[in-house]
Amino acid sequence: MYGTTAQLPEDTERTAFRQAEKRYKLYKPPNPKSRKKQVSSRTDLSEVIDFHAVLESFRLNGVTPPGISRFDCPGFHCPVFCFDDRPGFYFIPGALSIEEQCYWITESLQTFPQPPNRTNHTAIYGPIYDLFSAVENQKVLIQVEGLSTDVKLGLSSSENSPQSSRYLFSEARMVASKGEDCKSVAASVLLRKLRWSTLGLQFDWSKRNYDVALPHNKIPDLLCQLAKKMAEPAMPADNEFQPEAAIVNYFGRSDMLGGHLDDMEADWSKPIVSISLGCKAIFLLGGKSREDSPIAMFLRSGDIVLMSGQARECFHGIPRIFTDDESADVSALLSQFSSEEDHLILDYIRNSRININIRQVN
């Protein structure tokens, strides 16, 4: 997500939000060779709200836990819940079918990082075309500058990739056989280090605003249709959500997203539509100050969160991703990616999380 995160470290360490982040984050196990005494501790998740359990209980007895209400949205086909003290926040558990989840996971890995969409790799390597295909073919990205002419001619550049690119994919053995010394990185490493891609209007991270001058494509029609449909509970009557920009976040094993605000859109009455895919996570929803104690809840693959109005002023973040077999909750997804041609997606999603956030900018 792009938003406000700046605050002095000595201040954040004392806030209620920071304390909650530390409580739930995944700490790496200590080095077994260390002389320090190893203390095994299991994170207490007893206060984390599970909206799938809330939904099951509501269907059985028609009641919700204190502070949580069922939101009635006529004509909307999914159950929606909200917090009484966080107006503008809506949780839609299990909004996407397993087939829809698989489709958007595949799109997030194969299509969404494609230029002119920008990623966290763009500033370093320039536009990278067909990253997922390069991973499938075990290629490496090499720096073109300084290579001999015969090596340049032998580069297997993508049909989409312009010849002016500073980096191109190639067979690792081809460069090694020529005895060339060049800067290179495996495509598989780039995929694992992919942290974000931007769709639609592109966000300028250095200026912290949307730059309409940057080349961009419109958000894919299917994603627009999904966002419009899912935004309905948070939209005023007779208003339709207009998706103009999106960011796709990619989370690995120990990744987290610190507390922040998403405050760069002009109209905060319009929601952010946030789609969760892959491994289960903990989401913290705070208040308008970091001093406000946040509410912790689980996010599972297929869940959708809406944040509009006053909720847009609330700090929020992801302190924890669950990637162990017991807690990740991705068994249904893994069974769908069982064919040989899907093995890369299977290997990726078994210990990763993807989050698609769609926004109306103007």
Side-chain angles (χ1 to χ4, degrees):
M1 295 184 184
Y2 23 85
T4 302
T5 57
Q7 192 169 16
L8 295 177
E10 57 268 25
D11 293 335
T12 60
E13 289 298 321
R14 292 193 293 264
T15 65
F17 198 98
R18 179 56 179 155
Q19 291 302 313
E21 287 180 319
K22 294 172 69 174
R23 175 181 178 182
Y24 292 117
K25 74 172 290 187
L26 176 65
Y27 289 93
K28 295 181 180 179
N31 187 338
K33 296 181 180 181
S34 173
R35 294 183 179 180
K36 293 183 179 180
K37 183 179 179 180
Q38 297 186 35
V39 180
S40 178
S41 61
R42 192 177 182 88
T43 305
D44 180 5
L45 303 176
S46 61
E47 295 183 10
V48 182
I49 295 171
D50 186 341
F51 274 103
H52 286 250
V54 171
L55 175 59
E56 183 178 356
S57 176
F58 182 82
R59 285 172 171 168
L60 287 174
N61 54 42
V63 298
T64 57
I68 297 176
S69 300
R70 167 74 186 272
F71 182 79
D72 185 28
C73 183
F76 192 72
H77 69 284
C78 295
V80 184
F81 295 94
C82 56
F83 293 109
D84 297 343
D85 61 351
R86 296 291 195 281
F89 179 86
Y90 306 85
F91 197 109
I92 312 173
L96 300 185
S97 68
I98 193 69
E99 292 78 16
E100 289 175 310
Q101 294 171 47
C102 292
Y103 176 80
W104 292 116
I105 289 169
T106 303
E107 287 292 286
S108 296
L109 294 174
Q110 295 183 355
T111 306
F112 293 165
Q114 282 283 84
N117 298 340
R118 298 165 68 84
T119 75
N120 55 296
H121 294 317
T122 304
I124 303 172
Y125 303 105
I128 298 177
Y129 292 83
D130 302 323
L131 173 59
F132 194 84
S133 175
V135 177
E136 290 181 310
N137 292 287
Q138 300 181 352
K139 293 187 176 182
V140 295
L141 190 71
I142 66 173
Q143 187 174 26
V144 175
E145 183 181 0
L147 292 178
S148 58
T149 303
D150 60 331
V151 172
K152 289 181 180 179
L153 292 175
L155 291 179
S156 53
S157 61
S158 161
E159 61 181 16
N160 298 315
S161 181
Q163 291 299 316
S164 59
S165 295
R166 294 185 291 119
Y167 288 81
L168 291 172
F169 283 116
S170 179
E171 301 288 344
R173 289 174 298 178
M174 186 274 289
V175 179
S177 66
K178 299 291 184 179
E180 297 279 342
D181 184 17
C182 59
K183 185 176 180 181
S184 65
V185 58
S188 59
V189 172
L190 291 172
L191 182 63
R192 271 296 168 193
K193 291 186 175 182
L194 185 65
R195 290 296 173 264
W196 55 263
S197 62
T198 47
L199 316 180
L201 292 176
Q202 299 292 291
F203 191 79
D204 187 327
W205 299 87
S206 61
K207 299 177 182 177
R208 295 194 71 253
N209 62 18
Y210 291 95
D211 189 345
V212 296
L214 289 173
H216 65 276
N217 294 329
K218 290 184 177 180
I219 293 179
D221 288 342
L222 285 179
L223 188 58
C224 279
Q225 293 171 20
L226 176 62
K228 287 180 179 181
K229 180 174 67 175
M230 290 299 162
E232 288 178 11
M235 293 296 294
D238 302 322
N239 275 255
E240 185 178 61
F241 183 61
Q242 300 297 327
E244 295 174 297
I247 182 169
V248 186
N249 293 114
Y250 304 85
F251 296 83
R253 288 180 182 272
S254 58
D255 290 340
M256 62 176 292
L257 184 65
H260 65 283
L261 298 175
D262 293 297
D263 56 358
M264 298 312 300
E265 291 73 39
D267 186 356
W268 288 8
S269 69
K270 304 301 188 295
I272 290 177
V273 180
S274 180
I275 303 170
S276 289
L277 302 166
C279 291
K280 184 174 69 178
I282 291 179
F283 178 74
L284 294 178
L285 175 65
K288 297 181 180 181
S289 165
R290 292 181 188 268
E291 297 293 347
D292 297 324
S293 295
I295 304 169
M297 66 201 80
F298 290 120
L299 282 175
R300 289 182 171 85
S301 192
D303 291 343
I304 289 181
V305 161
L306 309 177
M307 296 183 70
S308 64
Q310 293 186 45
R312 292 291 299 269
E313 302 177 60
C314 293
F315 284 91
H316 55 280
I318 302 284
R320 177 78 172 267
I321 311 297
F322 295 91
T323 59
D324 59 287
D325 293 341
E326 180 182 353
S327 306
D329 280 0
V330 289
S331 57
L333 282 174
L334 301 186
S335 67
Q336 296 293 310
F337 291 116
S338 57
S339 66
E340 178 60 30
E341 63 184 19
D342 292 330
H343 75 279
L344 283 178
I345 298 177
L346 174 68
D347 290 343
Y348 183 92
I349 208 61
R350 70 167 66 251
N351 52 28
S352 302
R353 175 178 183 267
I354 298 172
N355 185 223
I356 307 173
N357 300 279
I358 307 106
R359 302 132 187 277
Q360 180 171 329
V361 175
N362 299 305

